[in-house]
Amino acid sequence: MVSKLLTKSKLLSAIVLLGSACSLSAGPIFSCSDVPASGCNGNLYAIWVVSQTATTYDLEVDIQVTNSYTGSITDSINGLAIIPDNSGSFTAFSLLSHPSGTWAVQGGGLNDSGCDGSGSGFICAKATGNGAPLFSGSNPLLLSWEFLITGTPPLSGDTTHLKYHYVNTDGEKVGDLGSFDVGIQCIGGSCEGGGGGGLGVPEPVSFLLAGSGLIGMYFIRRRRSRSR
């Protein structure tokens, strides 16, 4: 009987630890905010603050390619432009990380030919050649760009205007030229210290694991009180 109680206690302790650890690691929420949804070309998007100070912030732009992508699995992306906040009040920017290929960053937006340098308030990441593939074989990829931006950090409710340019193997535009607003998310307190509000919503699995952790703690305490 004692050994059974110890086994159950260890199991419940593992549930507590798993629930506590995983409940803190919710990632960004991917969505397609365009209307009609065909403008998203079947993919999902998320923009979130990695970290920030009072005058700078790291903004990550993620594209989750899906099997619902409306083009070909041999397509790629060679241009991605953002207006990083509602006011476009940045004073400097750089590209910290990007998908495969050679990328540079410049001011201005993009058109049907890619980054074109026109349009105030835009930052555009431009690839050499066809840029980053959307698929590895037949497997859809997660593509990420991280920008370091000098300017007023985002506030709760801010959005980023996102534009992207998909091309085929000949470098010709395919699908719609993406152009829509995406809400900025703050994950795990990443907007604290610069005036931004927390926008991130934990994934459902996080709530489930957190709940399992609380239940585990309850039963462990109950077993210990009975053993006394």
Side-chain angles (χ1 to χ4, degrees):
M1 183 65 179
V2 174
S3 61
K4 287 183 179 180
L5 287 175
L6 289 173
T7 300
K8 289 181 179 179
S9 178
K10 290 179 180 179
L11 177 61
L12 291 172
S13 296
I15 292 173
V16 171
L17 293 174
L18 180 63
S20 300
C22 295
S23 64
L24 299 176
S25 59
I29 298 172
F30 287 85
S31 65
C32 169
S33 62
D34 196 24
V35 179
S38 60
C40 292
N41 294 288
N43 291 337
L44 300 175
Y45 308 87
I47 298 177
W48 54 291
V49 176
V50 176
S51 63
Q52 73 174 50
T53 68
T55 57
T56 64
Y57 56 102
D58 291 5
L59 192 67
E60 182 167 321
V61 181
D62 293 339
I63 298 179
Q64 177 61 70
V65 184
T66 76
N67 287 317
S68 298
Y69 174 62
T70 53
S72 168
I73 61 173
T74 58
D75 291 343
S76 57
I77 179 172
N78 70 351
L80 181 136
I82 58 170
I83 298 178
D85 56 51
N86 288 341
S87 60
S89 58
F90 62 88
T91 57
F93 54 84
S94 60
L95 186 61
L96 297 179
S97 63
H98 54 75
S100 61
T102 302
W103 292 76
V105 64
Q106 64 183 55
L110 59 76
N111 58 21
D112 286 349
S113 299
C115 294
D116 66 348
S118 65
S120 62
F122 275 100
I123 300 170
C124 198
K126 180 180 182 179
T128 300
N130 286 359
L134 302 181
F135 289 79
S136 175
S138 60
N139 298 316
L141 296 176
L142 172 64
L143 306 176
S144 298
W145 295 257
E146 187 177 344
F147 299 86
L148 176 61
I149 301 169
T150 301
T152 304
L155 297 174
S156 178
D158 280 358
T159 60
T160 292
H161 189 77
L162 171 67
K163 301 183 76 172
Y164 55 82
H165 190 243
Y166 293 153
V167 295
N168 59 22
T169 53
D170 294 324
E172 300 170 339
K173 183 181 78 72
V174 295
D176 295 317
L177 183 68
S179 182
F180 47 85
D181 292 333
V182 180
I184 298 175
Q185 301 174 47
C186 301
I187 309 299
S190 59
C191 291
E192 293 179 0
L199 303 180
V201 180
E203 297 166 345
V205 68
S206 299
F207 286 116
L208 177 61
L209 290 170
S212 67
L214 292 174
I215 292 172
M217 291 177 66
Y218 167 77
F219 279 109
I220 287 174
R221 289 177 179 176
R222 188 175 178 184
R223 292 289 187 188
R224 287 177 176 173
S225 63
R226 284 183 175 180
S227 64
R228 291 174 184 172

